[in-house]
Amino acid sequence: MTPEPYRCHGVPASPDALRRLRHDLMAWVLAAGVDADRAGDIVLASYEALANVADHAYDNAEPGVVDVDAAVRPGRLEVVITDHGRWRTPVPDPRPVSLRGRGLLLLRASADRADIASGEQGTVVTLTWDL
C-alpha cells in the first residue's frame, strides 16, 4: 500500500524544528515500507539538505522557512526540499580539516539522484531513490 504523500510546509529553518521534521520524515519513510538502512540514507540526505537551508538560504535578519514534500512514485521515492531565500556564500572554515563543505557530496552519495535548482524564488532540492 502506497502511503499518502508527506507534506510539511512553512517549517522554521531552525535546528529544533528541523530535528522534529527529520523524525517525522523517518516515520513516514518507514511507514512507506522502506527498509531501515535505506530509510537511514533517505533521511540523512534529506536532513543534510535541510541543514543547508538553515546555513545558506536566509540571513539572520530574515526568518526563513522550508517546505518538504515526499512521495512514493512508481519505482521510486522522492523528497523535495524547498526554501524561499537566497543562497549565501558559506564562510570559509579556517581549520585544516574542516567538517563543513561536504553537504552536496553527501547528498549526491546518499541519493540515487540529486537535482538542485536555485533562483530568485529560492532553492529546490529534489532527491530520488529507486525502490
Side-chain angles (χ1 to χ4, degrees):
M1 182 174 137
T2 303
E4 289 294 316
Y6 177 85
R7 296 189 74 223
C8 197
H9 289 197
V11 177
S14 68
D16 287 343
L18 297 180
R19 277 192 295 276
R20 283 190 303 276
L21 187 55
R22 179 183 66 198
H23 293 294
D24 292 347
L25 184 60
M26 176 61 95
W28 181 86
V29 171
L30 291 171
V34 176
D35 71 76
D37 287 341
R38 188 75 155 165
D41 289 345
I42 292 167
V43 174
L44 175 66
S46 299
Y47 188 69
E48 183 59 37
L50 290 166
N52 280 345
V53 170
D55 285 348
H56 302 297
Y58 301 106
D59 62 28
N60 292 335
E62 185 181 344
V65 296
V66 63
D67 303 330
V68 177
D69 294 278
V72 175
R73 311 255 186 240
R76 70 186 197 280
L77 187 143
E78 182 178 272
V79 177
V80 179
I81 295 158
T82 306
D83 71 54
H84 308 282
R86 294 184 186 250
W87 181 262
R88 292 181 305 132
T89 303
V91 176
D93 189 338
R95 295 176 289 188
V97 178
S98 175
L99 299 175
R100 302 188 49 83
R102 294 184 177 87
L104 296 180
L105 291 172
L106 178 67
L107 293 180
R108 292 192 169 107
S110 299
D112 292 322
R113 280 176 300 292
D115 299 310
I116 302 162
S118 290
E120 292 295 315
Q121 302 302 313
T123 299
V124 178
V125 176
T126 303
L127 304 170
T128 307
W129 290 266
D130 298 328
L131 297 176

